[in-house]
């Protein structure tokens, strides 16, 4: 196998290990009027719920980031509009300045022309009797007029240049106004988009609040249900003569398997409320772990009766031996019944022993896990094999009279941690379970 295939295989195994660790299959037990229902939370359902929560969180982060980015864009647009307005005011000031210059030049020309005419008229009156002087004055006036005409032409060219510059400024001003209108339109569009994003963000926040409320309600209901189930199972164990805490300490390792390094968390500022919620969830999780352990124990408890029809011919404890009539200790429950009556296993388990066992005759031992075993003696016939897994109420044998026995009956024992306990307490506790 190539190195690439080995890496792919290792990656798949690591992925399966992580999904099994963080998304194990869970069950929610619902009890209604004595009926037990199990709601299975599969690995895919948990992964899908986690993916939806992650997608909703990602969308919230995305919309918030977009909202802040649009705010920054609006600020840049406002700065650009302000710069355009400043340029527009500058152009208006420049046009006004040119107009003032043109007015001053026109006033100066008119004044010079009036002074020239006045001076010419005065010279003509003083020297009208002198034709030569008058002619010279006329020529000087003509020269002065030509000079004034040239100045006028120059002024007209300056005026045309000013007019062209004015038209150019007006064109620039029109472009600036168009840019200003475009910027305003973009700003309005950005504001509209910002409002839509804010509305979406508000909707998301409402949905998040609804989901939080639903989650808290679900956690509360699950916690209440778990506490009720814990109380019921502990009552059953107490009736059966067992200590719930001792049973949990004796629980199989794979029933509550968990682990990992301990890393102490130091709360930061503003995390008091969150830490309180985390502590509450930790308490709920602790109850759920206890509930799961007790559920696992309950499944291994032999609470049913091994026979359908019987009467108790000898109870657990001190008694007179039925053969020699001497006082002895009886570690089981003798249940008299018709020969060949079917014998049923009282809880799921694995067959540990099948065969002949001295005074017990044909004998069967069933291991139910968590230190609990049941034993069935004096059987007429056995119907299971060693190592076979048997479900609840599986027929494992027939009532007989083998071994040291005075008649057809079933010798039934219950053992916890290799010590005998009274089977009748389990049967009595089972009546409360099966009757609701």
């Amino acid at each position: 196998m190539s190195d690439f295939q080995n890496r792919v295989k290792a990656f798949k195994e690591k992925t399966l290990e992580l999904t099994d660790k963080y998304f194990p299959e869970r069950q929610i037990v619902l009890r209604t009027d004595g009926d037990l229902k199990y709601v299975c939370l599969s690995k895919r359902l948990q992964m899908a719920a986690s993916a939806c929560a992650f997608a909703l969180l990602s969308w919230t982060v995305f919309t918030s980031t977009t909202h802040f980015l649009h705010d920054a864009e609006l600020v840049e647009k406002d700065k650009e509009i302000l710069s355009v307005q400043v340029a527009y005011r500058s152009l208006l000031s420049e046009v006004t300045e040119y107009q003032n210059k043109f007015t001053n030049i026109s006033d100066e020309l008119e004044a010079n022309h009036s002074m020239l005419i006045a001076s010419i008229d005065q010279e003509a009156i003083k020297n009208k009797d002198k034709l030569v002087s008058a002619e010279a004055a006329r020529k000087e006036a003509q020269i002065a007029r030509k000079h004034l005409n040239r100045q006028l032409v120059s002024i007209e060219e300056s005026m045309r240049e000013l007019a062209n510059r004015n038209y150019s400024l007006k064109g620039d001003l029109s472009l600036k106004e168009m840019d200003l209108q475009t910027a305003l339109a973009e700003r309005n569009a950005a504001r509209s988009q910002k409002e839509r994003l804010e509305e979406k963000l508000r909707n998301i926040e409402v949905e998040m609040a609804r989901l939080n409320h639903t989650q808290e309600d679900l956690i509360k209901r699950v916690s209440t249900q778990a506490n009720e189930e814990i109380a019921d199972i502990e009552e059953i164990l107490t009736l059966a003569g067992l200590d719930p805490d001792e049973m949990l300490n004796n629980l199989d390792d794979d029933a509550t398997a968990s682990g990992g390094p301990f890393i102490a968390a130091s709360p930061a500022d503003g995390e008091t409320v969150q830490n309180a919620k985390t502590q509450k969830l930790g308490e709920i999780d602790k109850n759920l772990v206890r509930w799961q352990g007790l559920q696992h124990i309950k499944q291994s408890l032999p609470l049913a009766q091994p026979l359908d029809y019987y009467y108790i011919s000898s109870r657990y404890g001190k008694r007179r031996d039925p053969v020699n009539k001497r006082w002895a200790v009886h570690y089981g429950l003798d249940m008299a019944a018709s020969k060949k009556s079917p014998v049923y296993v009282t809880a799921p388990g694995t067959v540990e022993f099948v065969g002949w066992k001295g005074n017990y005759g044909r004998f069967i031992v069933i291991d139910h896990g968590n230190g609990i075993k049941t034993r069935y003696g004096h059987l007429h016939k056995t119907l299971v094999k060693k190592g076979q897994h048997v479900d609840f109420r599986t027929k494992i044998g027939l009532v007989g009279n083998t071994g040291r026995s005075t008649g057809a009956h079933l010798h039934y024992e219950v053992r916890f941690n290799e010590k005998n306990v009274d089977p009748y307490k389990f049967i009595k506790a089972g009546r409360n379970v099966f009757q609701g």
Side-chain angles (χ1 to χ4, degrees), residues 292-318:
Q292 290 175 351
L294 291 174
Q295 282 285 348
H296 186 74
I297 293 171
K298 179 183 176 182
Q299 294 175 1
S300 64
L301 292 178
L303 301 176
Q305 303 173 144
L307 299 175
D308 289 334
Y309 304 101
Y310 67 93
Y311 69 89
I312 298 176
S313 58
S314 181
R315 292 186 177 272
Y316 175 89
K318 185 177 179 181

Side-chain angles (χ1 to χ4, degrees), residues 96-116:
T96 303
E97 184 180 355
Y98 279 115
Q99 288 177 349
N100 292 333
K101 288 182 179 180
F102 178 75
T103 302
N104 293 332
I105 292 171
S106 298
D107 293 339
E108 185 179 354
L109 288 175
E110 288 180 359
N112 291 333
H113 187 267
S114 299
M115 290 175 63
L116 183 60

Side-chain angles (χ1 to χ4, degrees), residues 201-219:
L201 184 60
R202 285 193 294 271
N203 293 335
I204 290 173
E205 289 175 350
V206 171
E207 184 65 18
M208 286 290 291
R210 188 186 66 81
L211 289 175
N212 289 334
H213 179 72
T214 303
Q215 183 182 19
E216 291 176 358
D217 184 61
L218 178 61
I219 291 173

